[in-house]
Amino acid sequence: MSVETLSDRFWNLSCEYSPTGATVRGMHEFDDRLRTFDGDYLSDLASRFREVGIEAGSTSPDGTSDLITLGLLVHESDVWATEIEQRFLVAAIDPYLGPHTRLLSDTQQNTVQNQDQADALLDRYRAIPAYLEAALRLQLENAESGMTPSSASLQRVLSQLDGYLASDLGDDPFLKLKVPENGQTAWDEVANDLVRSHIRPAIEAYRDGLITEVGPTARPDDRAGLTWITNGEEIYASLIHKYTQLDKTDREIHEIGTDWATRILVAEWVETGKKAFGLDSLAEIFDRLHNDPAMRFDSEEEMLDHARKTVDRAWGAVDDWFNVRPDTPCTIVEVPAAFASAMPPAYYMQPPTDGSRPGTYFLNTHKPAERDRFEYESTHFHEAVPGHHFDRSIAASLQGIPDFRRFSQVYAHTEGWGLYSERLADEMGLFSSEVDRLGLLSADAWRAGRLVVDTGLHAFGWSRQQAIDWLREWTPIGLLTIEQEVDRYIGMPGQALSYKMGQIEIMSLRRQVEEALGEGFDIKTFHDALLTQGAMTLPMLRDHIERELLDV
C-alpha cells in the first residue's frame, strides 16, 4: 500500500475519532458528527489504527519525506490505538480534554465556506444530547471499573459547566459562526432554538449526572494521581511514551526535573536577581516577585496590550534568525470568560487547512490582579512569536506532505520548541528588563518543576497539596496559576513532561551541530531544519537534524 494511501487512512481515522477537531482544522467531511463512545465501535477503531501502524512499519520509504511520514504513522497509530483501548482519556473528566471542552472550546473556532457546511453543524448541535449521555455512561463505566476521576478535575469541569450555563446567550460559542452569503439570519434562528431547547438542557443534565452519578466515585486530593486507579501504572507508562518518546523511566525524569529546578537554575536566579533587585537570595527574590504590587496587572485590557506590544516587538526581530516565517501575523484574543477560571495562562491554536482563520494566541485575562506580570513576556514568546505561531503555522502551511503531518501534535517537539523559543528570545534581545528575564527563569523552573510534580503525582503517590507546596518552594509562580497547573497535571497525565524534555533535546541538538560545524553553523538553517517538516518524535528529530545538517 502506498504511503499516500496509508496517510489518508490515518488522517480519516483521526478525524473520525475527533470530529470537532477535524472541523477546527478545516476538514468539513465530519461537520455533522461528534465522538462516538460505543464500546464495540471503539474497539474496532483501535484495531484500524493498529492496522495502519503495522502496514506503515512494513513499508519502505522513498526519500526523506516518506521516512518521516512512515515513522510518524507508526508512532501516532500506536498512541491513538493505546488511548482508545485503555478508555481512560476517551471521555476524560477534565477541563482540557473532556467531551464538554470539545463542544465549548472547539466550537468557537469553527469556520465554514458554504451553507452546506453551516447546516451540517446544526446536525452536530442536534446530536449533542445523545453525545453527552453516551459520554456520561462511559465515564460511569470507567469509574465503576476503578478508573475513577480526581475530585480536583471534576470540580474544574463543574465550574466550566456552571460558567457556560450562567453565561448570556449573546456570548454563547454555539452562536458565533459566520455563515457565508445570505444564510446568517435563518441559520441564527435555528441555532438559537437548538441552544435553548437542546444544548443547554443537555449540558445541564450532563452536569447533574457528573454530580450525582460520577461524583461519589471521585478520588480525594490526597490520591490525585494515576497510581491510585486501576491500571494506572500501565496508563502512565504509555503517556510518558506518548509525550516524550525517550527511553526514560519516571524516576529518571523526576530526577532530571529536580536537578534543573534545585541546582542548575539557582545560579541563574542569583545572577539575574542581583541585576533586577540587588538580591542574591532565592527566598528574597521569590518574596519580591510574590509580593510587589508592581509585578501584577491592573486590568484585562492591560494584559492584552502587553501581549500585543511584546509580539509586535518579536515580529520585528525575526528576520535575523529565521529564513522561513508564517505568512500571516498572530491574532491575540482573550480566553472566553465562561471557562477561563479552569484554563492555563495562555495557549495557541494553529490555523486550519483552508486558511479561513489565522493562528490564534489565547490569553487568559481572568483575575489580572493575581497574574504575575514578570512572567508574561516569556509566555508571549512561547505561545506566539517566535514560539507556536512559528512551529504550528509553518507546519499548517507546508505543501507536498500529508495533511496529518501538518497537524501532528507530537508534543515533545512542539512544546520543546515553545520552551526553546523563550531562551531564543533572550538571545534575540527581546526581553525588556532584567525583571522580565526573571520571568524567563520562572518559566524554565516551572517546566522543570513539571517533571517533578507530574511524576510525583502519577508515579509516586503525591497528594495535590504536596505538588502545590513543591512548586511554591522552587518557583515564584503565583498561587492561582500553581493551583490551575497542578489540576491540569492531575487531569492530563504526562503532557507536562513534553516541555522540558523536548527543550533539553533541542538544545542538545543545537550544541551538537554548533560544535560540528564551527564557523559554518547558521542559526537560520538550523531553525529551518527544526520547523519545515512539521512535528516529529524526538528520536526522529535527532535523526533528521543529523542527516540534513551533519550528513550522518
Side-chain angles (χ1 to χ4, degrees):
M1 185 172 294
S2 72
V3 175
E4 181 181 2
T5 300
L6 281 171
S7 298
D8 288 343
R9 278 177 57 189
F10 175 82
W11 183 235
N12 285 328
L13 286 174
S14 302
C15 292
E16 183 179 338
Y17 181 49
S18 183
T20 60
T23 302
V24 169
R25 294 190 293 258
M27 305 300 294
H28 293 287
E29 297 88 339
F30 302 85
D31 287 351
D32 60 339
R33 306 185 202 177
L34 288 163
R35 178 169 290 181
T36 300
F37 301 109
D38 175 75
D40 291 339
Y41 166 80
L42 290 171
S43 296
D44 176 69
L45 184 63
S47 295
R48 285 186 280 156
F49 272 116
R50 292 265 178 233
E51 289 168 3
V52 170
I54 291 169
E55 292 189 43
S58 62
T59 300
S60 298
D62 181 13
T64 297
S65 183
D66 276 5
L67 185 67
I68 294 171
T69 297
L70 291 169
L72 277 176
L73 286 172
V74 170
H75 170 73
E76 294 210 347
S77 294
D78 174 69
V79 161
W80 291 119
T82 299
E83 175 180 305
I84 295 167
E85 290 163 352
Q86 291 176 339
R87 296 291 196 270
F88 182 68
L89 294 177
V90 173
I93 299 176
D94 177 73
Y96 309 95
L97 303 176
H100 72 291
T101 313
R102 301 283 64 78
L103 298 177
L104 299 177
S105 180
D106 288 356
T107 296
Q108 67 176 340
Q109 293 300 306
N110 288 344
T111 57
V112 295
Q113 301 299 305
N114 55 56
Q115 189 67 47
D116 287 344
Q117 292 171 1
D119 290 342
L121 287 173
L122 294 176
D123 288 334
R124 174 181 288 173
Y125 289 5
R126 294 183 181 98
I128 286 174
Y131 162 80
L132 290 175
E133 289 173 5
L136 185 64
R137 284 197 299 273
L138 179 57
Q139 290 164 341
L140 186 59
E141 290 172 8
N142 281 347
E144 291 173 343
S145 69
M147 291 189 295
T148 54
S150 75
S151 178
S153 296
L154 178 60
Q155 293 307 312
R156 293 283 185 182
V157 168
L158 292 174
S159 174
Q160 288 178 320
L161 297 175
D162 287 341
Y164 169 72
L165 292 170
S167 66
D168 187 86
L169 278 175
D171 294 325
D172 196 290
F174 298 99
L175 304 178
K176 298 291 188 183
L177 189 73
K178 303 299 182 185
V179 180
E181 301 171 353
N182 299 317
Q184 188 75 56
T185 301
W187 190 92
D188 284 347
E189 183 177 343
V190 176
N192 269 276
D193 179 67
L194 287 171
V195 167
R196 289 187 175 94
S197 63
H198 281 65
I199 296 174
R200 292 203 171 204
I203 289 178
E204 184 172 10
Y206 176 65
R207 171 195 175 278
D208 293 344
L210 287 176
I211 292 172
T212 60
E213 298 181 60
V214 180
T217 73
R219 306 190 308 277
D221 287 350
D222 62 351
R223 290 184 288 160
L226 291 184
T227 188
W228 302 103
I229 73 168
T230 301
N231 297 326
E233 183 177 345
E234 176 186 344
I235 292 171
Y236 192 49
S238 71
L239 292 170
I240 290 176
H241 167 71
K242 173 181 178 177
Y243 289 117
T244 73
Q245 307 100 46
L246 299 174
D247 187 22
K248 301 285 187 185
T249 66
D250 47 36
R251 174 58 66 183
E252 289 172 319
I253 292 170
H254 188 87
E255 291 174 354
I256 289 170
T258 301
D259 191 44
W260 269 88
T262 66
R263 186 184 65 82
I264 296 173
L265 291 173
V266 169
E268 287 191 78
W269 277 117
V270 171
E271 178 185 358
T272 308
K274 286 180 181 178
K275 295 176 182 177
F277 303 133
L279 302 173
D280 59 7
S281 159
L282 203 63
E284 289 180 318
I285 295 168
F286 285 6
D287 181 70
R288 178 72 174 270
L289 294 174
H290 277 306
N291 296 311
D292 187 342
M295 302 297 153
R296 309 292 172 265
F297 289 101
D298 292 327
S299 67
E300 292 89 344
E301 186 54 42
E302 185 186 14
M303 292 189 71
L304 289 166
D305 183 62
H306 182 268
R308 294 181 186 116
K309 288 178 178 177
T310 303
V311 171
D312 286 346
R313 189 167 70 251
W315 263 116
V318 297
D319 287 347
D320 291 335
W321 299 83
F322 296 88
N323 290 314
V324 179
R325 55 188 291 176
D327 295 330
T328 59
C330 180
T331 299
I332 301 172
V333 302
E334 293 178 275
V335 173
F339 53 102
S341 64
M343 298 301 281
Y347 56 92
Y348 179 84
M349 186 167 287
Q350 76 186 102
T353 57
D354 57 15
S356 59
R357 172 181 48 75
T360 306
Y361 170 31
F362 286 89
L363 183 66
N364 194 339
T365 60
H366 177 68
K367 294 185 177 180
E370 297 182 36
R371 300 287 178 183
D372 294 327
R373 183 189 186 98
F374 65 91
E375 293 181 337
Y376 273 83
E377 284 194 1
S378 190
T379 300
H380 305 328
F381 299 137
H382 179 116
E383 298 295 343
V385 179
H388 290 320
H389 188 58
F390 270 58
D391 80 296
R392 295 290 77 211
S393 281
I394 290 172
S397 67
L398 292 175
Q399 302 298 312
I401 66 171
D403 283 338
F404 88 90
R405 277 181 54 192
R406 293 193 279 160
F407 293 92
S408 289
Q409 288 285 356
V410 189
Y411 288 91
H413 186 175
T414 60
E415 296 299 354
W417 167 261
L419 189 53
Y420 167 84
S421 294
E422 298 180 35
R423 290 282 181 173
L424 177 63
D426 196 26
E427 291 184 70
M428 295 167 69
L430 293 177
F431 285 92
S432 56
S433 73
E434 291 298 328
V435 173
D436 292 293
R437 291 190 70 250
L438 287 173
L440 166 68
L441 298 181
S442 177
D444 216 355
W446 177 8
R447 277 36 173 255
R450 286 175 175 177
L451 303 184
V452 179
V453 168
D454 196 271
T455 51
L457 287 164
H458 297 296
F460 309 127
W462 283 21
S463 70
R464 179 176 182 268
Q465 192 61 49
Q466 277 180 277
I468 291 170
D469 291 344
W470 195 95
L471 289 174
R472 288 287 282 176
E473 180 177 1
W474 291 105
T475 78
I477 306 168
L479 183 60
L480 172 70
T481 299
I482 284 178
E483 290 175 342
Q484 287 176 329
E485 286 294 298
V486 168
D487 290 347
R488 171 185 167 191
Y489 313 151
I490 290 170
M492 295 178 67
Q495 193 269 347
L497 307 178
S498 59
Y499 299 76
K500 191 64 183 175
M501 299 305 292
Q503 181 216 36
I504 290 171
E505 186 72 358
I506 290 172
M507 292 192 305
S508 171
L509 282 169
R510 179 169 162 180
R511 285 194 300 270
Q512 179 183 346
V513 176
E514 286 175 329
E515 291 170 3
L517 299 182
E519 293 184 0
F521 174 79
D522 178 56
I523 192 63
K524 294 182 180 181
T525 303
F526 178 72
H527 290 155
D528 285 350
L530 284 174
L531 300 180
T532 56
Q533 291 290 341
M536 59 190 86
T537 69
L538 293 182
M540 290 172 61
L541 181 63
R542 178 168 289 279
D543 288 345
H544 174 66
I545 295 294
E546 292 177 344
R547 186 171 58 251
E548 293 296 308
L549 300 184
L550 303 179
D551 295 323
V552 174

